[in-house]
Amino acid sequence: MRLGIASGKGGTGKTTIATNLARVASRNGTSVAYLDCDVEEPNGQIFLQPTISWSKPVRVPSPRVDHELCDHCGDCGEICQYSAIVCLGNRVLVFPELCHSCGGCALVCAQSAITEVGREIASLVAGKSGAVQYLQGLLNIGEAMSPPVIRAVKAEAPEAELVIVDAPPGTACPVVEAVRGCDHVLLVTEPTPFGLHDLGLALETVQSLEIPCEVVINRAGLNGSATEEFCRRKGVEVVARFPDSRRVAEAYSRGELASEKDPEIRDLFRTLLTHIEDST
């Protein structure tokens, strides 16, 4: 089973839910793989503290122009929708950071002056945290293209009974790429006006992908009636409510898993895991 953990906004506790769920599932004897697909700022390693076993670069195709062959027709610039390649007079300029690696410029070049070369944009890092298999992507500083890195993370996912995909926050292309192909998605929210607003956006996104989803309310007890009412109206089930707990906050501040420090929280994660197993 591939389980996506997503949220409409950052700071709702998405990674807290994902990492603790991975640990609790592994303690129950389930083989677990945790994929940190928040590749701009992966922080699952803070809590799982994996022992790293390997790392490797992620490369994407990028155009290279042979200026001896180029006749400066401008066809490459016309087909590129992102201005990653531009013909200015007798010069062709390439902006690799804007390139979406579609290959269109090479296809339309009648002089075969454009070839594609691999350009490193990120790294994959794999390891193990206890019985949890760990894999993350990390985008290089200055790079803006998350989806190719997320695809690379998912392609390297180890075999496991439960694969937890920790998605980026928000509802943009990186989130869609992360949850695409998941069997089920948990949307983590917080009982605040901002949390409710962005939960609505996240719900629309996941439903448009036709992926079954449910809601987890983190820091419950902070006047979550509006969130509960919203979920009732939308017909989406709230499957877990994690309390606004000082003990959880203290564990988080130390980079510790709350399920390892608080038996009540551990029991809540076990109940959530049982629900997921039974419903899927």
Side-chain angles (χ1 to χ4, degrees), residues 16 20 243-266 268:
T16 299
N20 279 278
D244 182 32
S245 165
R246 181 180 178 87
R247 285 177 294 179
V248 172
E250 289 176 349
Y252 181 90
S253 69
R254 294 190 294 265
E256 298 172 342
L257 292 168
S259 60
E260 303 262 283
K261 301 298 179 180
D262 189 329
E264 294 180 12
I265 296 297
R266 183 165 56 248
L268 288 174

Side-chain angles (χ1 to χ4, degrees), residues 20-191:
N20 279 278
L21 195 60
R23 175 70 81 220
V24 170
S26 70
R27 299 281 196 214
N28 285 357
T30 302
S31 61
V32 181
Y34 169 85
L35 311 184
D36 197 337
C37 289
D38 187 1
V39 300
E40 293 184 50
E41 193 176 2
N43 57 10
Q45 81 278 0
I46 295 174
F47 304 99
L48 291 174
Q49 300 179 8
T51 300
I52 302 304
S53 55
W54 61 261
S55 66
K56 67 179 182 181
V58 177
R59 294 184 173 90
V60 295
S62 182
R64 174 182 290 172
V65 180
D66 185 335
H67 296 281
E68 296 295 325
L69 296 176
C70 178
D71 63 359
H72 310 104
C73 67
D75 289 347
C76 55
E78 289 185 15
I79 196 173
C80 183
Q81 301 298 299
Y82 303 98
S83 300
I85 186 167
V86 180
C87 185
L88 298 175
N90 61 355
R91 299 180 64 196
V92 178
L93 304 179
V94 177
F95 303 95
E97 293 81 5
L98 300 178
C99 180
H100 283 56
S101 303
C102 71
C105 57
L107 287 173
V108 300
C109 183
Q111 305 302 318
S112 299
I114 298 177
T115 56
E116 290 186 312
V117 295
R119 185 174 70 87
E120 185 176 332
I121 64 168
S123 59
L124 297 184
V125 177
K128 206 162 186 182
S129 172
V132 177
Q133 300 181 80
Y134 179 90
L135 181 63
Q136 76 167 36
L138 178 59
L139 199 65
N140 290 349
I141 294 173
E143 297 292 343
M145 300 295 295
S146 295
V149 187
I150 294 170
R151 285 193 291 272
V153 173
K154 293 167 67 177
E156 290 283 349
E159 292 292 328
E161 294 170 302
L162 176 62
V163 177
I164 295 178
V165 179
D166 190 353
T171 57
C173 296
V175 179
V176 173
E177 188 59 54
V179 301
R180 181 183 284 126
C182 286
D183 303 300
H184 201 81
V185 171
L186 293 180
L187 294 175
V188 182
T189 189
E190 58 186 8

